[in-house]
Amino acid sequence: MIRPTLSGIFKSPIRKWLIAGIVFLLTYLLLVKHAEKYHQFEFGDWQSEIYADKSGYYIYLPATFIQGYRQTNYPDSIDFKLGNGFGFVNGKLFTKYTYGVALLTAPFFIPNHLSQVIAGNEANGFTREYLKFTYFASVFYLLAGLSALLFFLRRRFTSIASIIAIILITFGTNLYYYTFQEALMSHVYSFALFSFLLLLTDNYWRKPNRWTLAGIALISGLITLIRPTNAIILTIVLLLDIKSIPQLKERLRLLSSARNVLILTGLFLLIWIPQMAYWKFMSGNFFFYSYKGEGFTYWLSPKIAEVLFAPKNGLLIYAPAFLLIITGWVLMIFRKDANRWLIGALFLVQLYLVSSWHMFFFGCSFGQRSFVEFLTLFSIPLATLFNLTLKPVKILPLITVLLITGYLIFFNLKLSASYARCFDGKTWEWELYRHHLVRAEVLPLPKNTFSWINDFEQDNTFSTAGINIMKVSNAHSGNYINELKGNSRFSDGFEIDLGKQLTGKVFSVSVSMQFFFNKLPESASFVCSIVRNDTTVFFQSKQLITGKETPLKNWKRLEDTFEIPFLKPVGKLRVYLMTHKEENMLIDDFEVIISSEK
């Protein structure tokens, strides 16, 4: 009997899967850590991961595993506290959203919930600890979807073209935003399902078998469950890579066999049965239109120009990478490539559907979020463009492609990081869009800056108070520091008459200080305010996040940035440190940088 050795195993096909698994796991952990920085809000904060629409998707999880579907089991006003993404009607839980996102994220919610139970924490589904599972889920489905998409693309294009297309889609479009910053919105989950459908369809027509068809049926059910209008993508099951009428007839013949119809309809409906049961419980009917008062009100006058170009969430101005996708699609037409008309038709149908919806800008969005999942299909023209440009690979075309790709990624990451989650202006309000560009610093738009620093060594212009300045032997720089001690809850501050020092609307105030403390402060905050004629027009405080790992009895630099809503440079701006308790700390090298547009 021959026994496999360890070296033999690593030389076998298992080795490839083992390496792929390790790479997937390490990438997953790295991206989860990256996502964590976007999720520092408390449960019930409007910017947290379970609020408004996201709470409507989420509520199925605590309802199924903890609270049930009756109002009496829930904390008072929990629907209001979570942004009214769900509510209660006749004592029953009501959410207009389907359970698809909850189903896909349940494998992450359940361990998180059990860990709260085991630890003896409050395990009601509505504490800050329940926010964490959201980005663990979104990052997993991003990577799973990208992996499937990469397999699909590699069958058609070179490795370098496929990889660059994947990277650009991930970091150069709003797929990034809806994975890392809005982790419980539906789009990254639909993106993964679209990718699975592409790969399964490709596998099926290469080698038809009932198990692959079963996977197609289940994935199709989930796609339509999460977002019914996404049913248009199911046309790829029949039309992907189609080249002739006889080929189309043969596919129809195969799919319409009794066995295959039973597989497709049976498993598709299986996904929908729990949703229909919930609708029956909630409304008395198995079929229920939960979006009452909402619909396709612009179907005779679709807002196509607004969807594509408007400052309020326009597709192309928030995700200019789509210009490369369109370029690749045009190349596919000239080359008479397979799928050129399928891709064009699906884009136009989706554009019409989105443009016809009563809220064509889709509320608080970063760009046109309804196109995110379609990036799976649009990766084909994108990879086509890169494939033609880089085949064979030459230095100049490669550098050009990398520079363009790099800038589009830079544009997307910077704009999404500085975006305030909502475009609060009118549809064609270009000035507000320009404000977003100025804040993100993605274009060479002119700006003014004013810098100030106080090391407490001497009298300082724009410094306020001048109290509790003391000489110490361990100052961060020089010999003097500012001490907060006992009843002194306010640091020396910075105050400036904006009109005398700046021009242009103020949009940013960055603050940094050096801190020294014997005990971690519990309630210290940076404060920024602007006062005009004894009226406060801006006030914000930001609690210092020191971290448990912060070393004591060492100087530590802490910093933060206040986003000012482009206010005219009128009035007095003040920045200082405030403590809500009597806490002792020293500060040194207090620095403020004010930015305004020209």
Side-chain angles (χ1 to χ4, degrees):
M1 181 177 179
I2 300 176
R3 296 182 178 178
T5 63
L6 186 61
S7 60
I9 291 176
F10 278 92
K11 290 179 181 178
S12 71
I14 297 176
R15 177 185 180 187
K16 292 182 179 179
W17 289 105
L18 182 61
I19 292 174
I22 293 173
V23 170
F24 185 96
L25 178 61
L26 292 176
T27 305
Y28 174 69
L29 295 175
L30 181 65
L31 291 181
V32 164
K33 186 66 177 177
H34 173 69
E36 187 178 14
K37 73 177 185 179
Y38 293 111
H39 304 283
Q40 302 296 327
F41 304 101
E42 294 299 321
F43 207 101
D45 188 289
W46 74 275
Q47 298 181 87
S48 72
E49 273 319 292
I50 302 177
Y51 195 86
D53 291 12
K54 294 172 286 188
S55 70
Y57 294 122
Y58 168 75
I59 197 61
Y60 285 101
L61 292 169
T64 300
F65 297 103
I66 307 172
Q67 309 286 1
Y69 286 79
R70 300 285 181 178
Q71 183 176 6
T72 54
N73 299 330
Y74 287 83
D76 290 341
S77 303
I78 190 64
D79 49 342
F80 173 76
K81 293 175 182 176
L82 295 183
N84 295 313
F86 61 93
F88 298 95
V89 177
N90 298 324
K92 299 176 182 179
L93 174 69
F94 170 75
T95 174
K96 68 180 181 180
Y97 307 99
T98 55
Y99 82 101
V101 171
L103 177 64
L104 293 179
T105 57
F108 299 87
F109 170 85
I110 293 171
N112 187 69
H113 171 61
L114 291 177
S115 70
Q116 301 310 305
V117 173
I118 294 170
N121 298 330
E122 186 177 9
N124 65 353
F126 303 113
T127 65
R128 193 176 191 281
E129 292 303 313
Y130 284 90
L131 299 174
K132 295 180 180 180
F133 88 94
T134 59
Y135 53 88
F136 277 84
S138 67
V139 171
F140 173 82
Y141 281 103
L142 172 72
L143 291 180
L146 292 176
S147 299
L149 187 58
L150 184 59
F151 277 116
F152 174 83
L153 292 177
R154 275 294 293 114
R155 291 172 175 173
R156 291 161 169 77
F157 307 103
T158 63
S159 295
I160 190 168
S162 302
I163 291 171
I164 293 176
I166 289 288
I167 291 173
L168 181 56
I169 283 172
T170 306
F171 297 103
T173 70
N174 49 355
L175 172 61
Y176 175 88
Y177 184 86
Y178 285 100
T179 299
F180 295 99
Q181 293 176 249
E182 295 280 13
L184 207 59
M185 291 296 282
S186 67
H187 303 291
V188 70
Y189 307 101
S190 291
F191 173 85
L193 294 174
F194 276 35
S195 297
F196 300 157
L197 185 67
L198 268 178
L199 184 60
L200 286 171
T201 299
D202 193 36
N203 289 344
Y204 184 74
W205 293 123
R206 288 171 183 267
K207 188 178 180 180
N209 66 84
R210 69 183 66 179
W211 295 109
T212 305
L213 192 65
I216 289 173
L218 290 171
I219 295 299
S220 298
L222 284 168
I223 285 173
T224 56
L225 177 69
I226 289 178
R227 200 176 187 87
T229 56
N230 281 347
I232 64 174
I233 196 65
L234 303 187
T235 55
I236 70 171
V237 176
L238 181 64
L239 300 177
L240 183 68
D241 293 332
I242 205 77
K243 296 178 181 177
S244 65
I245 297 299
Q247 185 185 19
L248 177 61
K249 290 180 178 179
E250 176 59 23
R251 288 188 175 185
L252 284 170
R253 185 195 64 79
L254 184 60
L255 291 176
S256 61
S257 70
R259 185 189 69 180
N260 288 345
V261 169
L262 182 62
I263 291 173
L264 288 171
T265 56
L267 294 178
F268 184 94
L269 290 175
L270 180 65
I271 295 296
W272 274 89
I273 287 174
Q275 187 64 50
M276 291 188 290
Y278 167 70
W279 283 339
K280 177 67 174 176
F281 161 79
M282 188 269 298
S283 70
N285 298 301
F286 285 112
F287 297 96
F288 175 72
Y289 186 72
S290 58
Y291 283 77
K292 187 177 180 179
E294 302 179 60
F296 296 93
T297 56
Y298 294 109
W299 66 279
L300 289 178
S301 55
K303 304 295 183 180
I304 292 175
E306 288 84 349
V307 168
L308 290 176
F309 305 110
K312 195 178 186 72
N313 303 334
L315 176 68
L316 297 179
I317 65 172
Y318 283 90
F322 270 89
L323 295 173
L324 294 186
I325 292 171
I326 294 171
T327 302
W329 177 65
V330 171
L331 287 174
M332 290 180 68
I333 293 176
F334 279 110
R335 287 165 45 86
K336 299 182 178 180
D337 288 350
N339 302 311
R340 62 192 184 280
W341 301 124
L342 174 63
I343 292 169
L346 284 174
F347 176 81
L348 291 176
V349 171
Q350 177 66 0
L351 178 61
Y352 175 76
L353 289 173
V354 172
S355 303
S356 301
W357 188 245
H358 74 106
M359 191 182 290
F360 53 85
F361 51 88
F362 282 81
C364 284
S365 300
F366 178 65
Q368 272 294 334
R369 58 187 174 89
S370 293
F371 285 84
V372 169
E373 42 265 58
F374 285 86
L375 286 166
T376 52
L377 190 64
F378 298 155
S379 67
I380 297 175
L382 192 60
T384 297
L385 175 63
F386 292 146
N387 206 57
L388 292 173
T389 306
L390 301 175
K391 192 177 181 181
V393 177
K394 293 184 179 179
I395 295 298
L396 185 58
L398 178 61
I399 292 176
T400 302
V401 166
L402 292 178
L403 286 175
I404 293 173
T405 302
Y407 176 73
L408 290 172
I409 290 173
F410 165 79
F411 181 96
N412 181 68
L413 296 183
K414 291 280 287 183
L415 190 61
S416 62
S418 64
Y419 191 68
R421 293 186 182 253
C422 289
F423 188 92
D424 293 326
K426 298 178 181 178
T427 302
W428 293 101
E429 192 171 335
W430 285 104
E431 182 182 15
L432 184 54
Y433 177 71
R434 183 182 183 276
H435 289 168
H436 289 313
L437 297 181
V438 169
R439 193 186 297 281
E441 299 181 321
V442 293
L443 292 175
L445 299 172
K447 68 175 185 177
N448 299 307
T449 59
F450 177 89
S451 299
W452 172 88
I453 188 169
N454 188 3
D455 61 2
F456 305 107
E457 298 301 310
Q458 54 193 357
D459 291 340
N460 190 293
T461 305
F462 308 120
S463 180
T464 63
I467 59 175
N468 296 323
I469 305 298
M470 60 182 296
K471 186 175 184 179
V472 295
S473 59
N474 64 331
H476 182 263
S477 65
N479 299 302
Y480 290 88
I481 52 87
N482 182 209
E483 181 183 31
L484 279 78
K485 183 178 181 180
N487 293 326
S488 261
R489 294 174 45 233
F490 300 93
S491 74
D492 255 35
F494 163 79
E495 185 176 273
I496 186 174
D497 189 330
L498 291 171
K500 293 181 180 180
Q501 302 296 331
L502 286 102
T503 59
K505 295 180 179 179
V506 178
F507 66 87
S508 175
V509 176
S510 297
V511 186
S512 67
M513 297 179 184
Q514 293 288 343
F515 283 84
F516 184 96
F517 33 72
N518 295 315
K519 179 183 177 182
L520 289 176
E522 297 180 10
S523 58
S525 301
F526 285 129
V527 177
C528 178
S529 66
I530 298 178
V531 178
R532 296 177 186 163
N533 300 323
D534 297 326
T535 300
T536 301
V537 296
F538 178 85
F539 180 90
Q540 190 175 38
S541 65
K542 292 195 173 187
Q543 187 170 355
L544 301 182
I545 307 295
T546 55
K548 294 181 180 179
E549 75 286 353
T550 301
L552 300 177
K553 300 183 180 180
N554 283 284
W555 286 97
K556 177 179 176 62
R557 176 183 170 90
L558 294 177
E559 56 189 4
D560 213 326
T561 298
F562 295 92
E563 305 292 352
I564 312 296
F566 285 83
L567 296 176
K568 293 180 180 179
V570 178
K572 292 186 177 181
L573 182 147
R574 191 180 183 201
V575 181
Y576 53 94
L577 177 72
M578 177 177 69
T579 63
H580 301 281
K581 296 182 179 180
E582 295 183 359
E583 297 183 294
N584 295 347
M585 64 184 73
L586 311 180
I587 69 171
D588 202 354
D589 298 333
F590 179 9
E591 186 173 2
V592 176
I593 300 176
I594 307 173
S595 299
S596 65
E597 63 174 348
K598 285 190 176 180

